[in-house]
Amino acid sequence: MRLVRTLTLPTEDLLEAVSPLPEGIRAGVWDLVGEPKGLDYAEIDAVVLPYATRGSWQQGLERVPNLVLLQAQSTGYDGLPEVVGSGVAIATAAGVHVAGTAELAVALILASLRGVDDAVRNAANGVWDSRRYPGLADRRVLLVGVGGIGTAIAQRLAPFEVELTRVGSRARTDETGPVHGTDELVTLAADAEVLVVITPLSEDTHHLINREVLAALPDGALVVNVARGPVVDTAALTDEVLSGRLHAALDVVDPEPLPAGHPLWGAPNAIITPHVGGNTEAFVPRIHKLLKEQVGRLARGDEPVNLVRRGPWA
């Protein structure tokens, strides 16, 4: 049964990427801010969301009376169920951002543990300060999140000869070994020199890395967040970083963007990147491939990939 016959894409480039369209599928261009081109609101069955921005999505989507599917260009989908009716399916771009986010996680770890941030600041001031940094080899790494990106981070950490402990939503054993449950976080944190966070944001993971978990980390430990800002208690982390006890390397924060004047901006033991984990040149061909596949599946009446809320495909 074919549920989607029309869709909008946020840019002309994405429309070109999925063209020629399969027989029976029509498409228009709509950035959810202006008016759709090529389709009327009442004709739209599926909407591909813009990348990275969340401006006026709800207001725009409220104009689409017959929406069947909401397609994100992100791996996370926090906030999306709240902007559409319960009968609307939601699909993510899971897989598209894996390589980029995993490489940034490792880059942030290395930059902090090898003092690259200090070297950049020193270079700007003409200061030569040669000293010993912890490095990544032989570090005890606690990885919170064992999905696609978490698995990719684990694979990339293997050549660095770390002692890796993985944490998922529940304790289990998978094809690569034991996975601990989140109920063990405080105990596990006490032995972790690097804590890497790459778990989806949900009611269960909001402030999963809370004041108690952070307090359990040893002095000098590094907290790396490439997940979503609210998974970590920003106030608690800020206190630990400003005290000098912990280091942080953050691609995501809460709130986001981090307000001007926030104390983390000036903390010498914090590295902050502006939520660019999956935003590399590798993203473009990968999102094109995913959307092309998705349009083909919709044309054939097949179930879309990466459904996180099934809607009419339930």
Side-chain angles (χ1 to χ4, degrees):
M1 180 175 61
R2 195 166 67 184
L3 298 172
V4 173
R5 291 175 170 80
T6 62
L7 76 154
T8 64
L9 298 113
T11 65
E12 295 282 355
D13 287 346
L14 282 180
L15 177 57
E16 182 178 349
V18 301
S19 298
L21 295 169
E23 184 178 352
I25 292 287
R26 296 167 52 221
V29 175
W30 186 35
D31 62 3
L32 278 76
V33 178
E35 295 295 308
K37 299 176 183 178
L39 293 171
D40 296 328
Y41 288 115
E43 295 180 285
I44 299 171
D45 296 328
V47 169
V48 179
L49 293 171
Y51 180 68
T53 59
R54 290 267 175 111
S56 305
W57 288 359
Q58 182 162 10
Q59 185 178 9
L61 291 168
E62 286 174 351
R63 305 175 199 152
V64 183
N66 303 310
L67 188 63
V68 174
L69 172 67
L70 194 63
Q71 171 69 56
Q73 294 190 61
S74 59
T75 301
Y77 60 97
D78 46 285
L80 296 186
E82 291 77 20
V83 300
V84 290
S86 59
V88 176
I90 298 173
T92 72
V96 169
H97 303 275
V98 167
T101 305
E103 73 184 20
L104 182 63
V106 176
L108 288 172
I109 295 169
L110 288 170
S112 183
L113 294 181
R114 293 305 303 262
V116 175
D117 54 334
D118 288 340
V120 170
R121 285 189 288 265
N122 287 337
N125 296 307
V127 174
W128 182 276
D129 180 16
S130 180
R131 51 193 164 108
R132 179 172 292 166
Y133 285 88
L136 181 51
D138 301 334
R139 296 279 77 81
R140 297 184 300 275
V141 179
L142 183 60
L143 178 62
V144 182
V146 292
I149 300 176
T151 298
I153 293 172
Q155 292 168 343
R156 284 157 175 77
L157 287 174
F160 290 97
E161 303 174 24
V162 303
E163 183 181 325
L164 183 66
T165 300
R166 298 180 301 145
V167 176
S169 57
R170 56 181 176 81
R172 60 191 183 275
T173 300
D174 64 15
E175 62 276 5
T176 58
V179 176
H180 297 264
T182 54
D183 57 332
E184 303 175 67
L185 264 176
V186 174
T187 300
L188 294 170
D191 194 44
E193 296 170 292
V194 181
L195 170 63
V196 183
V197 186
I198 184 55
T199 187
L201 176 61
S202 67
E203 290 183 5
D204 292 333
T205 62
H206 183 268
H207 284 190
L208 177 66
I209 310 303
N210 56 23
R211 194 171 294 274
E212 185 179 10
V213 173
L214 294 170
L217 289 167
D219 292 353
L222 168 65
V223 177
V224 179
N225 189 3
V226 289
R228 286 291 188 268
V231 176
V232 176
D233 182 338
T234 299
L237 179 61
T238 300
D239 288 345
E240 293 280 14
V241 169
L242 293 183
S243 75
R245 203 183 74 79
L246 297 182
H247 296 255
L250 310 171
D251 185 48
V252 291
V253 289
D254 180 31
E256 195 170 289
L258 197 65
H262 193 284
L264 281 177
W265 281 123
N269 48 339
I271 299 173
I272 298 171
T273 54
H275 201 154
V276 293
N279 194 13
T280 71
E281 290 185 359
F283 167 75
V284 177
R286 293 176 187 223
I287 193 65
H288 288 179
K289 180 181 178 181
L290 173 68
L291 294 177
K292 184 79 172 177
E293 176 187 358
Q294 203 75 304
V295 170
R297 295 181 68 87
L298 295 172
R300 295 190 300 270
D302 295 341
E303 181 178 298
V305 296
N306 293 344
L307 283 178
V308 292
R309 193 168 79 177
R310 303 186 64 79
W313 284 278

